[in-house]
Amino acid sequence: MATKAYVLIETAVGKTRDVMHSLGGVSGMDAVDAVTGPYDIIAVITASDLNAVGEIVTEKVHTIGGVNRTVTCLSVSVG
C-alpha cells in the first residue's frame, strides 16, 4: 500500500512561484498548490513507504532554493 503525505512549505519572500515550479518536477509529487495562511504551499506526495517519503522530502524538497521550512503530515486510515 502506498504512503501519502501532505508537505506544508514555508518559502522565502518572493520565492513561492519558483519553488512551485521546482516541486512540479519532483517524482512522487501528486499536487502542488499555493495557499493562504501560515504556509505558502501544500504539496501532496505518494511514495511506496515512509522511508521513500522521507527521501523525497529531505533530498528533493529541502534542497530547493527558497524553501525555508517544511512540516510533513502523513495521511492515515481511520476507518
Side-chain angles (χ1 to χ4, degrees):
M1 182 175 175
T3 300
K4 182 177 181 178
Y6 297 88
V7 183
L8 314 176
I9 302 168
E10 182 183 299
T11 64
V13 174
K15 294 296 184 179
T16 299
R17 188 172 304 204
D18 295 338
V19 172
M20 286 187 66
H21 179 72
S22 295
L23 288 170
V26 173
S27 179
M29 212 44 82
D30 289 339
V32 178
D33 294 304
V35 297
T36 61
Y39 297 96
D40 303 301
I41 298 169
I42 296 178
V44 181
I45 295 173
T46 302
S48 57
D49 56 32
L50 179 58
N51 287 333
V53 169
E55 287 177 11
I56 292 169
V57 173
T58 59
E59 295 175 12
K60 305 295 183 187
V61 177
H62 287 174
T63 60
I64 294 172
V67 172
N68 285 348
R69 180 173 174 256
T70 66
V71 175
T72 303
C73 304
L74 294 175
S75 177
V76 296
S77 176
V78 292

Coordinates of all heavy atoms in Angstrom, one line a residue:
M1 N 0.8 -1.2 0.0 CA 0.0 0.0 0.0 C 0.9 1.3 0.0 O 1.9 1.3 0.7 CB -0.9 0.0 1.2 CG -1.8 1.2 1.3 SD -2.9 0.9 2.7 CE -3.8 2.4 2.7
A2 N 0.5 2.2 -0.8 CA 1.3 3.4 -0.9 C 1.1 4.3 0.3 O 0.1 4.3 1.0 CB 0.9 4.2 -2.2
T3 N 2.1 5.1 0.6 CA 2.1 6.1 1.7 C 1.9 7.5 1.1 O 2.6 7.9 0.2 CB 3.4 6.1 2.5 OG1 3.6 4.7 3.0 CG2 3.4 7.0 3.6
K4 N 0.9 8.2 1.6 CA 0.6 9.6 1.2 C 0.9 10.6 2.3 O 0.7 10.3 3.4 CB -0.9 9.6 0.8 CG -1.4 10.9 0.3 CD -2.9 10.8 0.0 CE -3.4 12.1 -0.6 NZ -4.8 12.0 -1.0
A5 N 1.5 11.7 1.9 CA 1.9 12.7 2.8 C 1.5 14.1 2.3 O 1.7 14.3 1.1 CB 3.3 12.6 3.2
Y6 N 1.2 15.0 3.2 CA 1.0 16.4 2.8 C 2.2 17.1 3.4 O 2.5 17.0 4.5 CB -0.3 16.9 3.5 CG -1.5 16.2 2.9 CD1 -2.0 15.1 3.5 CD2 -2.2 16.7 1.8 CE1 -3.1 14.4 3.0 CE2 -3.3 16.1 1.3 CZ -3.8 14.9 1.9 OH -4.9 14.3 1.4
V7 N 2.8 17.9 2.5 CA 4.0 18.7 3.0 C 3.6 20.2 2.9 O 3.3 20.7 1.9 CB 5.2 18.4 2.0 CG1 6.4 19.2 2.6 CG2 5.5 16.9 1.9
L8 N 3.6 20.8 4.1 CA 3.3 22.2 4.3 C 4.7 22.9 4.2 O 5.6 22.6 4.9 CB 2.7 22.4 5.6 CG 1.6 21.5 6.0 CD1 1.1 21.8 7.4 CD2 0.4 21.5 5.0
I9 N 4.7 23.9 3.2 CA 6.0 24.5 2.9 C 5.9 26.0 3.1 O 5.0 26.7 2.6 CB 6.4 24.2 1.5 CG1 6.5 22.7 1.3 CG2 7.7 24.9 1.1 CD1 6.6 22.3 -0.2
E10 N 6.9 26.5 3.8 CA 7.1 28.0 4.0 C 8.2 28.4 3.1 O 9.3 27.8 3.2 CB 7.4 28.3 5.5 CG 7.5 29.8 5.8 CD 7.9 29.9 7.2 OE1 7.1 29.6 8.1 OE2 9.0 30.5 7.5
T11 N 8.0 29.4 2.3 CA 9.0 29.8 1.3 C 9.6 31.2 1.7 O 9.0 32.0 2.5 CB 8.5 29.9 -0.1 OG1 7.5 30.9 -0.2 CG2 8.0 28.6 -0.6
A12 N 10.7 31.5 1.2 CA 11.3 32.9 1.3 C 10.4 33.9 0.6 O 9.8 33.5 -0.4 CB 12.7 32.9 0.8
V13 N 10.5 35.1 1.0 CA 9.6 36.1 0.4 C 10.0 36.2 -1.1 O 11.1 36.2 -1.5 CB 9.9 37.5 1.0 CG1 9.2 38.6 0.3 CG2 9.5 37.5 2.5
G14 N 8.9 36.1 -1.9 CA 9.1 36.2 -3.4 C 9.5 35.0 -4.1 O 9.7 35.0 -5.3
K15 N 9.6 33.9 -3.4 CA 10.1 32.6 -4.0 C 9.1 31.6 -4.2 O 9.4 30.5 -4.7 CB 11.2 32.0 -3.1 CG 12.5 32.9 -3.0 CD 13.1 33.0 -4.4 CE 14.4 33.8 -4.4 NZ 15.0 33.8 -5.7
T16 N 7.8 31.8 -3.8 CA 6.8 30.8 -3.9 C 6.6 30.3 -5.3 O 6.6 29.1 -5.5 CB 5.4 31.4 -3.4 OG1 5.6 31.7 -2.0 CG2 4.3 30.3 -3.5
R17 N 6.6 31.1 -6.3 CA 6.4 30.7 -7.7 C 7.6 29.8 -8.1 O 7.4 28.8 -8.8 CB 6.3 31.9 -8.6 CG 5.9 31.6 -10.0 CD 5.6 32.8 -10.8 NE 4.6 33.5 -10.1 CZ 3.7 34.3 -10.5 NH1 3.8 34.6 -11.8 NH2 2.8 34.8 -9.8
D18 N 8.8 30.2 -7.8 CA 10.0 29.4 -8.2 C 10.0 28.0 -7.5 O 10.3 27.0 -8.2 CB 11.3 30.1 -7.8 CG 11.5 31.4 -8.6 OD1 10.9 31.6 -9.7 OD2 12.2 32.3 -8.1
V19 N 9.6 28.0 -6.2 CA 9.6 26.7 -5.5 C 8.5 25.8 -6.1 O 8.7 24.7 -6.3 CB 9.3 27.0 -4.0 CG1 9.1 25.7 -3.3 CG2 10.5 27.7 -3.4
M20 N 7.3 26.4 -6.4 CA 6.2 25.6 -7.0 C 6.7 25.0 -8.3 O 6.4 23.8 -8.6 CB 5.0 26.5 -7.3 CG 4.2 26.8 -6.0 SD 2.7 27.6 -6.3 CE 1.8 26.3 -7.1
H21 N 7.4 25.8 -9.1 CA 7.9 25.3 -10.4 C 8.8 24.1 -10.2 O 8.8 23.1 -10.9 CB 8.5 26.4 -11.2 CG 9.1 26.0 -12.5 ND1 8.3 25.7 -13.6 CD2 10.4 25.8 -12.9 CE1 9.1 25.3 -14.6 NE2 10.3 25.4 -14.2
S22 N 9.7 24.3 -9.3 CA 10.7 23.2 -9.0 C 10.0 21.9 -8.4 O 10.4 20.8 -8.8 CB 11.8 23.7 -8.0 OG 12.5 24.7 -8.5
L23 N 9.0 22.1 -7.6 CA 8.3 21.0 -7.0 C 7.6 20.2 -8.1 O 7.5 19.0 -8.0 CB 7.4 21.4 -5.9 CG 7.9 21.9 -4.6 CD1 6.9 22.6 -3.8 CD2 8.6 20.8 -3.9
G24 N 7.1 20.9 -9.1 CA 6.4 20.2 -10.2 C 7.2 19.1 -10.9 O 6.6 18.2 -11.4
G25 N 8.5 19.2 -10.8 CA 9.4 18.3 -11.5 C 9.8 17.1 -10.6 O 10.6 16.3 -11.0
V26 N 9.4 17.1 -9.4 CA 9.8 16.1 -8.4 C 9.0 14.8 -8.6 O 7.8 14.9 -8.5 CB 9.8 16.6 -7.0 CG1 10.0 15.5 -6.0 CG2 10.7 17.8 -6.8
S27 N 9.7 13.7 -8.8 CA 9.0 12.4 -8.9 C 8.3 12.1 -7.6 O 8.8 12.2 -6.5 CB 10.0 11.3 -9.2 OG 9.3 10.1 -9.3
G28 N 7.0 11.6 -7.7 CA 6.2 11.3 -6.5 C 5.3 12.4 -6.0 O 4.5 12.2 -5.2
M29 N 5.5 13.6 -6.6 CA 4.7 14.8 -6.3 C 3.3 14.7 -7.0 O 3.3 14.7 -8.2 CB 5.4 16.0 -6.7 CG 5.3 17.3 -6.0 SD 5.3 17.3 -4.2 CE 7.1 17.2 -3.8
D30 N 2.2 14.5 -6.3 CA 0.9 14.4 -6.9 C 0.2 15.7 -7.1 O -0.5 15.9 -8.1 CB 0.0 13.6 -6.0 CG 0.4 12.1 -6.0 OD1 1.0 11.6 -6.9 OD2 0.0 11.4 -5.0
A31 N 0.5 16.7 -6.2 CA -0.2 18.0 -6.4 C 0.7 19.0 -5.7 O 1.4 18.7 -4.7 CB -1.5 18.0 -5.7
V32 N 0.7 20.3 -6.2 CA 1.4 21.4 -5.6 C 0.5 22.6 -5.7 O 0.2 23.0 -6.8 CB 2.7 21.7 -6.3 CG1 3.5 22.9 -5.7 CG2 3.7 20.4 -6.3
D33 N 0.1 23.1 -4.5 CA -0.9 24.2 -4.5 C -0.4 25.3 -3.7 O 0.1 25.1 -2.5 CB -2.2 23.8 -4.0 CG -2.9 22.8 -4.9 OD1 -3.1 23.1 -6.1 OD2 -3.3 21.7 -4.4
A34 N -0.5 26.6 -4.2 CA -0.2 27.8 -3.4 C -1.4 28.0 -2.5 O -2.6 27.8 -2.9 CB 0.0 29.0 -4.3
V35 N -1.2 28.3 -1.2 CA -2.3 28.5 -0.3 C -2.1 29.8 0.5 O -1.0 30.3 0.6 CB -2.4 27.3 0.7 CG1 -2.8 26.0 -0.1 CG2 -1.2 27.1 1.5
T36 N -3.1 30.2 1.2 CA -3.0 31.4 2.1 C -2.9 30.8 3.5 O -3.2 29.6 3.8 CB -4.2 32.3 2.1 OG1 -5.4 31.5 2.4 CG2 -4.4 32.8 0.7
G37 N -2.4 31.6 4.4 CA -2.2 31.2 5.8 C -0.8 31.1 6.2 O 0.1 31.8 5.6
P38 N -0.5 30.4 7.2 CA 0.9 30.3 7.7 C 1.9 29.7 6.8 O 3.1 29.9 6.9 CB 0.8 29.6 9.0 CG -0.4 28.8 8.9 CD -1.4 29.5 8.0
Y39 N 1.4 28.9 5.8 CA 2.3 28.2 4.9 C 2.0 28.8 3.5 O 0.9 29.3 3.2 CB 2.1 26.7 4.9 CG 2.5 26.1 6.2 CD1 1.6 25.9 7.2 CD2 3.9 25.9 6.5 CE1 2.0 25.4 8.5 CE2 4.3 25.5 7.7 CZ 3.3 25.2 8.7 OH 3.8 24.8 9.9
D40 N 2.9 28.7 2.6 CA 2.8 29.2 1.2 C 2.4 28.2 0.2 O 1.7 28.5 -0.8 CB 4.1 29.9 0.8 CG 4.5 30.9 1.8 OD1 3.8 31.9 2.0 OD2 5.6 30.8 2.4
I41 N 2.8 26.9 0.5 CA 2.5 25.8 -0.5 C 2.1 24.6 0.3 O 2.7 24.3 1.4 CB 3.8 25.5 -1.3 CG1 4.2 26.7 -2.2 CG2 3.5 24.3 -2.2 CD1 5.6 26.6 -2.8
I42 N 1.2 23.8 -0.2 CA 0.9 22.5 0.3 C 1.1 21.5 -0.9 O 0.5 21.7 -2.0 CB -0.5 22.3 0.8 CG1 -0.7 23.2 2.0 CG2 -0.8 20.8 1.2 CD1 -2.1 23.1 2.6
A43 N 2.0 20.6 -0.7 CA 2.3 19.6 -1.7 C 1.8 18.2 -1.2 O 1.9 17.9 0.0 CB 3.8 19.5 -2.0
V44 N 1.4 17.4 -2.2 CA 1.0 16.0 -1.8 C 2.0 15.0 -2.5 O 2.2 15.1 -3.7 CB -0.4 15.8 -2.4 CG1 -0.9 14.3 -2.0 CG2 -1.4 16.8 -1.8
I45 N 2.5 14.2 -1.7 CA 3.5 13.1 -2.1 C 2.8 11.8 -1.9 O 2.2 11.5 -0.9 CB 4.8 13.2 -1.3 CG1 5.5 14.5 -1.5 CG2 5.7 12.0 -1.6 CD1 6.7 14.7 -0.6
T46 N 3.0 10.9 -2.9 CA 2.7 9.5 -2.8 C 4.0 8.7 -3.1 O 4.6 8.9 -4.1 CB 1.6 9.1 -3.7 OG1 0.4 9.9 -3.5 CG2 1.2 7.6 -3.5
A47 N 4.3 7.8 -2.2 CA 5.5 7.0 -2.3 C 5.2 5.6 -1.8 O 4.2 5.3 -1.2 CB 6.7 7.6 -1.6
S48 N 6.2 4.7 -2.0 CA 6.0 3.3 -1.7 C 5.9 3.1 -0.2 O 5.2 2.2 0.2 CB 7.1 2.5 -2.3 OG 8.4 2.9 -1.8
D49 N 6.6 3.9 0.6 CA 6.6 3.7 2.1 C 7.1 4.9 2.7 O 7.4 5.9 2.1 CB 7.4 2.5 2.5 CG 8.9 2.5 2.0 OD1 9.4 3.6 1.9 OD2 9.4 1.4 1.7
L50 N 7.1 4.9 4.1 CA 7.5 6.1 4.8 C 8.9 6.5 4.5 O 9.2 7.7 4.4 CB 7.4 5.8 6.3 CG 7.8 6.9 7.3 CD1 7.0 8.2 7.0 CD2 7.6 6.4 8.7
N51 N 9.8 5.6 4.4 CA 11.2 5.9 4.0 C 11.3 6.6 2.7 O 12.1 7.6 2.6 CB 12.1 4.7 4.0 CG 12.4 4.2 5.4 OD1 12.4 4.9 6.4 ND2 12.6 2.9 5.5
A52 N 10.6 6.2 1.7 CA 10.6 6.9 0.4 C 10.0 8.3 0.5 O 10.6 9.2 -0.1 CB 9.8 6.1 -0.6
V53 N 9.0 8.5 1.3 CA 8.5 9.9 1.6 C 9.6 10.7 2.2 O 9.9 11.8 1.8 CB 7.2 9.9 2.5 CG1 6.9 11.3 3.0 CG2 6.1 9.3 1.8
G54 N 10.3 10.2 3.2 CA 11.4 10.9 3.9 C 12.5 11.3 2.9 O 13.0 12.4 3.0
E55 N 12.8 10.4 2.0 CA 13.9 10.6 1.0 C 13.4 11.8 0.1 O 14.3 12.6 -0.3 CB 14.2 9.4 0.2 CG 15.0 8.4 1.0 CD 15.2 7.1 0.2 OE1 15.0 7.1 -1.1 OE2 15.6 6.1 0.8
I56 N 12.2 11.8 -0.4 CA 11.7 12.8 -1.3 C 11.8 14.2 -0.5 O 12.3 15.2 -1.1 CB 10.3 12.5 -1.7 CG1 10.3 11.3 -2.7 CG2 9.7 13.8 -2.4 CD1 8.9 10.8 -3.0
V57 N 11.3 14.2 0.7 CA 11.3 15.5 1.5 C 12.7 16.0 1.7 O 13.1 17.1 1.5 CB 10.5 15.3 2.8 CG1 10.7 16.6 3.6 CG2 9.0 15.1 2.5
T58 N 13.6 15.1 2.2 CA 14.9 15.5 2.6 C 15.9 15.8 1.4 O 16.7 16.7 1.4 CB 15.6 14.6 3.6 OG1 15.7 13.3 3.0 CG2 14.8 14.5 4.9
E59 N 15.8 14.9 0.4 CA 16.7 15.0 -0.8 C 16.2 15.9 -1.9 O 17.0 16.4 -2.7 CB 17.0 13.6 -1.3 CG 17.7 12.8 -0.3 CD 18.0 11.3 -0.7 OE1 17.8 11.0 -1.9 OE2 18.3 10.5 0.1
K60 N 14.9 16.0 -2.0 CA 14.3 16.8 -3.2 C 13.7 18.1 -2.7 O 14.0 19.2 -3.3 CB 13.3 16.0 -3.9 CG 13.8 14.6 -4.4 CD 14.8 14.8 -5.4 CE 15.2 13.4 -6.0 NZ 16.4 13.5 -6.9
V61 N 12.9 18.1 -1.7 CA 12.2 19.3 -1.3 C 13.1 20.3 -0.5 O 13.2 21.4 -0.9 CB 10.9 19.0 -0.5 CG1 10.2 20.3 0.0 CG2 9.9 18.1 -1.3
H62 N 13.8 19.7 0.5 CA 14.7 20.6 1.3 C 15.8 21.2 0.5 O 16.3 22.2 0.9 CB 15.2 19.8 2.5 CG 14.2 19.5 3.5 ND1 14.5 18.7 4.6 CD2 12.9 19.9 3.7 CE1 13.4 18.6 5.4 NE2 12.5 19.4 4.8
T63 N 16.2 20.7 -0.6 CA 17.3 21.2 -1.4 C 16.9 22.3 -2.4 O 17.8 22.8 -3.0 CB 18.0 20.0 -2.1 OG1 17.1 19.4 -3.0 CG2 18.6 19.0 -1.1
I64 N 15.6 22.6 -2.5 CA 15.1 23.6 -3.4 C 15.4 25.0 -2.8 O 15.0 25.2 -1.7 CB 13.6 23.4 -3.7 CG1 13.4 22.1 -4.5 CG2 13.1 24.6 -4.5 CD1 11.9 21.7 -4.6
G65 N 16.0 25.8 -3.5 CA 16.3 27.2 -3.1 C 15.0 27.9 -2.8 O 14.1 27.8 -3.7
G66 N 14.9 28.6 -1.7 CA 13.7 29.3 -1.4 C 12.8 28.6 -0.4 O 11.8 29.2 0.1
V67 N 13.1 27.3 -0.1 CA 12.3 26.6 0.9 C 12.9 26.9 2.2 O 14.1 26.6 2.5 CB 12.3 25.1 0.6 CG1 11.7 24.3 1.8 CG2 11.6 24.7 -0.7
N68 N 12.1 27.5 3.1 CA 12.6 27.9 4.4 C 12.3 26.8 5.5 O 13.1 26.6 6.4 CB 12.0 29.2 4.9 CG 12.6 30.4 4.2 OD1 13.6 30.3 3.6 ND2 12.0 31.5 4.4
R69 N 11.1 26.2 5.4 CA 10.7 25.3 6.4 C 9.6 24.4 5.9 O 8.8 24.8 5.0 CB 10.1 26.1 7.6 CG 9.6 25.4 8.8 CD 9.2 26.4 9.9 NE 8.6 25.6 11.0 CZ 7.3 25.6 11.2 NH1 6.5 26.3 10.5 NH2 6.8 24.9 12.2
T70 N 9.6 23.1 6.4 CA 8.5 22.2 6.0 C 8.0 21.5 7.2 O 8.7 21.3 8.2 CB 9.0 21.1 5.0 OG1 10.0 20.3 5.6 CG2 9.6 21.8 3.7
V71 N 6.7 21.1 7.1 CA 6.1 20.2 8.0 C 5.4 19.1 7.2 O 4.7 19.4 6.3 CB 5.0 20.9 8.9 CG1 4.3 20.0 9.8 CG2 5.6 22.1 9.7
T72 N 5.8 17.9 7.5 CA 5.2 16.7 6.8 C 4.2 16.0 7.6 O 4.4 15.6 8.7 CB 6.3 15.7 6.4 OG1 7.3 16.4 5.6 CG2 5.8 14.6 5.6
C73 N 3.0 15.9 7.0 CA 1.8 15.3 7.7 C 1.5 14.0 6.9 O 1.1 14.1 5.8 CB 0.6 16.2 7.7 SG 1.0 17.8 8.5
L74 N 1.6 12.8 7.6 CA 1.3 11.6 6.9 C -0.2 11.4 7.0 O -0.9 11.6 8.0 CB 1.9 10.4 7.6 CG 3.5 10.4 7.5 CD1 4.0 9.3 8.4 CD2 3.9 10.3 6.1
S75 N -0.8 10.9 5.9 CA -2.2 10.5 5.8 C -2.4 9.1 6.5 O -1.6 8.2 6.3 CB -2.6 10.4 4.3 OG -3.9 10.0 4.2
V76 N -3.4 9.0 7.3 CA -3.7 7.8 8.0 C -5.1 7.3 7.7 O -6.0 8.1 7.4 CB -3.4 7.9 9.5 CG1 -2.0 8.2 9.8 CG2 -4.3 9.0 10.1
S77 N -5.3 6.0 7.8 CA -6.7 5.5 7.7 C -7.3 5.4 9.1 O -6.7 4.8 10.0 CB -6.6 4.1 7.1 OG -7.9 3.5 7.0
V78 N -8.5 5.9 9.2 CA -9.2 5.9 10.5 C -10.5 5.1 10.4 O -11.4 5.3 11.2 CB -9.5 7.3 11.1 CG1 -8.2 7.9 11.5 CG2 -10.2 8.2 10.1
G79 N -10.7 4.4 9.4 CA -11.9 3.7 9.1 C -11.8 2.3 9.4 O -12.4 1.4 9.6

